[in-house]
Amino acid sequence: MEALSLPAALALVAGGGAGLSPELRAALGASLPLVQRDYRFERVWFWGCIQGVRGAYYIAEGLGPDRAAPRSRLYSLNCLDWSLLTPATEEMLALAEQVKGRFQGDPSFEYSLAEINAEAAARMAQSGKEPVIKEEARLIATIEQIDRAVGIVPRGAFVKTPLGSVHENRHFEGLPLVEAKKLSSYFHFTEPSNLKNKTLLEKADLDPSTDFLDSLEHDIPKGSWSIQLEKGGTVVVLRSLLWLGLTFYHVPMTKQFGYVYFGTGEKNLDLPFML
């Protein structure tokens, strides 16, 4: 969610128990503008918090002119001092997916790869690398997994130019309440996969400038989103049941929307059996 509107945005998602103490909010209010200035980001989003056993990771994302371009991610242990994270690799994602259990809250903590994946450990040992995966690498991969799976935006909030870059839609004034209550009105803000499988007849009804992302209505398993009206019916809130802790909000007929994650960084693998 947008760093500048953080206090108001956190109040809108507080119904799920997500929130920050006044001290942490004040620290973010002071440090995030400095992060934007020092790293020369066009925008800074507060992504959320992954709670570990001994501490928490607070995550921010820096964006450039093209909103669909890979984002720079930073983490902090105190909301004041920020460290830039390296981009996630496919190997990192594959290994991190196999690590089970809670985060420790220590970026230098090492998980033994021999206990997780013996083949991967053997390959790393042969190449002269130590067969371990650091918690920092797991953190990078988990943020990427969550963004790909449940990072969402309302339909029409972003437009794709003929050159392929994605920008905020200046004409977006929010979804009408009737549309805001439908899953089909929200898109995954990541590289589309289902869009390529649509027939030419289905694509004929789409606007290429706004319908260039995958809709939530086709998410698997079906029923992995909870959609509710809160604050007297003035705010639409979506919660992911696959990544518990991810909350998205949108105030219909306004430009206010965003998502934040407050959780343990663990995927709800039991979801198919719960539906």
Side-chain angles (χ1 to χ4, degrees):
M1 55 177 60
E2 190 72 45
L4 294 174
S5 59
L6 191 57
L10 285 173
L12 295 176
V13 299
L20 294 169
S21 68
E23 292 82 7
L24 291 175
R25 289 190 194 193
L28 286 172
S31 64
L32 289 181
L34 297 178
V35 167
Q36 183 173 347
R37 183 199 69 186
D38 294 344
Y39 288 94
R40 297 182 181 178
F41 295 137
E42 195 167 286
R43 287 284 178 87
V44 171
W45 286 355
F46 176 66
W47 184 89
C49 166
I50 292 180
Q51 188 67 48
V53 176
R54 297 196 294 267
Y57 297 104
Y58 300 94
I59 316 298
E61 291 186 326
L63 291 85
D66 184 355
R67 296 294 189 258
R71 298 165 212 162
S72 300
R73 297 188 175 110
L74 306 96
Y75 79 93
S76 173
L77 301 176
N78 57 8
C79 291
L80 286 171
D81 306 307
W82 295 88
S83 302
L84 195 63
L85 292 166
T86 57
T89 62
E90 291 303 320
E91 182 189 16
M92 202 184 284
L93 288 165
L95 288 175
E97 212 167 74
Q98 298 175 55
V99 180
K100 307 299 178 195
R102 294 279 304 274
F103 277 81
Q104 296 301 308
D106 176 8
S108 60
F109 181 82
E110 295 179 342
Y111 299 91
S112 172
L113 209 52
E115 298 172 10
I116 301 165
N117 187 323
E119 289 182 20
R123 283 199 303 271
M124 287 185 78
Q126 285 174 358
S127 61
K129 297 177 183 175
E130 200 174 348
V132 295
I133 177 169
K134 284 197 172 183
E135 183 151 286
E136 188 175 21
R138 185 189 177 191
L139 179 69
I140 294 165
T142 301
I143 298 167
E144 181 69 23
Q145 284 176 324
I146 294 173
D147 260 348
R148 286 186 188 183
V150 290
I152 61 175
V153 294
R155 181 181 184 273
F158 293 87
V159 291
K160 189 173 187 178
T161 66
L163 297 175
S165 59
V166 175
H167 304 279
E168 288 167 12
N169 184 0
R170 294 180 183 177
H171 303 293
F172 177 70
E173 294 296 337
L175 297 170
L177 183 58
V178 176
E179 294 298 315
K181 293 189 284 185
K182 300 177 184 176
L183 276 182
S184 56
S185 298
Y186 301 95
F187 292 155
H188 288 281
F189 200 39
T190 186
E191 190 68 31
S193 55
N194 296 334
L195 201 62
K196 299 168 187 172
N197 302 327
K198 287 186 180 290
T199 64
L200 289 174
L201 195 62
E202 289 172 318
K203 287 180 179 177
D205 295 329
L206 303 178
D207 182 343
S209 65
T210 55
D211 299 317
F212 58 93
L213 300 167
D214 286 336
S215 167
L216 264 61
E217 62 180 333
H218 303 300
D219 279 14
I220 299 172
K222 204 167 182 66
S224 60
W225 288 97
S226 157
I227 185 163
Q228 296 165 324
L229 286 174
E230 296 188 1
K231 306 286 182 184
T234 58
V235 183
V236 178
V237 175
L238 278 76
R239 293 187 175 89
S240 173
L241 304 180
L242 186 63
W243 287 95
L244 296 170
L246 189 287
T247 307
F248 169 89
Y249 77 94
H250 175 47
V251 181
M253 303 306 294
T254 75
K255 295 184 176 185
Q256 296 178 59
F257 69 88
Y259 67 86
V260 69
Y261 179 82
F262 285 95
T264 60
E266 295 173 285
K267 193 175 184 179
N268 182 15
L269 300 174
D270 296 328
L271 180 60
F273 308 102
M274 296 164 67
L275 297 172

